[in-house]
Amino acid sequence: MTRSRAVLLVHGAGGGGWEWNVWRGVWEAAGFRVAAPDLMPARSDVAATRLQDYQAQVRAALAALPRPRVLVGASLGGLLALDAAEGADAVVLVNPLPPVPWHVDMPARDWPDVVPWRRAARLSGTREAMPDADDATTLFAFRHWRDESGAVLREAWRGVATERPACPMLCVVSAHDDDVPPSITRAMAEAWGADVLQTVSGSHVGPLLGREAAGIAAQAVEWLNRVAKAG
């Protein structure tokens, strides 16, 4: 992976490609061709969207990139990245929703058909969810959250079976995460022999949107360069 490289960045539930703005800048500066698309609801109907709709989009977006190519996913995007990992040359997972069997340790949640993260968004709630972000980033996120398919999240919480990626894998873990307990990601990484980048981020989205995001993105690039050199 020392020649021209491409990377697909897959965002989490209720977000968009904008979540990767900091990472995009770091990876483009490192010479990567970066794609960070928005996951689109099926037939423009959030309630009708299913996990397979997002899986198909990620697979298509990855296939459109030249090799060698890296697949990076955060939260729900991490689970989607695992589903498409056979088409990647390296995988980076940021606080991913866990696949089977680690999904059983996730906190129980009850999702409505449409999760109203846009309609019910409050700046105070966004600030509470992003304690490690600056004011400008918090305001930007508040203005860009979107409603999400409850069916997609229910499928993810019921458990999605995936294979261990055959390519190198890095798990980026927050120090504190109310959505995906760090112990789950570390257990998956240990079982699969993946590398772990333990961060000081204090939230689920901190590695992407917190004050340490640029440094974390740079460390992910450094990891990839080490893997490429070793390989």
Side-chain angles (χ1 to χ4, degrees):
M1 289 186 285
T2 56
R3 60 188 187 277
S4 179
R5 299 171 290 183
V7 58
L8 176 66
L9 307 173
V10 186
H11 67 80
W18 58 267
E19 292 183 339
W20 296 104
N21 286 349
V22 172
W23 281 55
R24 174 190 285 276
V26 171
W27 285 60
E28 286 180 341
F32 284 83
R33 170 182 169 180
V34 178
D38 291 341
L39 296 172
M40 303 304 295
R43 302 178 299 281
S44 300
D45 185 349
V46 172
T49 304
R50 299 295 182 266
L51 190 65
Q52 65 182 12
D53 297 311
Y54 287 162
Q55 289 172 328
Q57 292 175 43
V58 171
R59 288 175 174 270
L62 184 64
L65 294 177
R67 304 191 83 146
R69 57 200 182 203
V70 185
L71 183 53
V72 183
S75 193
L76 174 64
L79 186 61
L80 294 169
L82 284 172
D83 174 73
E86 74 274 7
D89 299 295
V91 172
V92 178
L93 307 177
V94 183
N95 295 327
L97 292 187
V100 172
W102 298 280
H103 73 290
V104 298
D105 294 322
M106 286 286 287
R109 298 290 297 270
D110 183 22
W111 303 104
D113 289 341
V114 176
V115 185
W117 281 325
R118 170 65 270 163
R119 286 177 291 154
R122 298 291 183 273
L123 182 57
S124 58
T126 299
R127 186 175 289 114
E128 183 178 348
M130 298 169 52
D132 43 358
D134 59 38
D135 289 343
T137 302
T138 301
L139 181 60
F140 186 89
F142 162 69
R143 291 174 171 170
H144 288 81
W145 298 131
R146 70 179 199 183
D147 293 345
E148 187 55 87
S149 165
V152 167
L153 294 171
R154 288 194 293 269
E155 288 181 75
W157 252 254
R158 283 197 298 268
V160 177
T162 65
E163 297 292 332
R164 179 198 181 281
C167 60
M169 182 171 75
L170 173 68
C171 291
V172 179
V173 186
S174 287
H176 180 77
D177 187 343
D178 289 330
D179 295 287
V180 180
S183 59
I184 296 178
T185 304
R186 288 194 292 264
M188 181 184 71
E190 181 178 2
W192 278 356
D195 293 323
V196 174
L197 172 56
Q198 178 63 62
T199 75
V200 297
S201 292
S203 71
H204 184 59
V205 297
L208 276 61
L209 300 174
R211 294 178 177 86
E212 305 296 327
I216 294 169
Q219 290 180 75
V221 171
E222 292 171 2
W223 168 82
L224 187 66
N225 289 336
R226 290 196 301 271
V227 167
K229 186 175 181 180

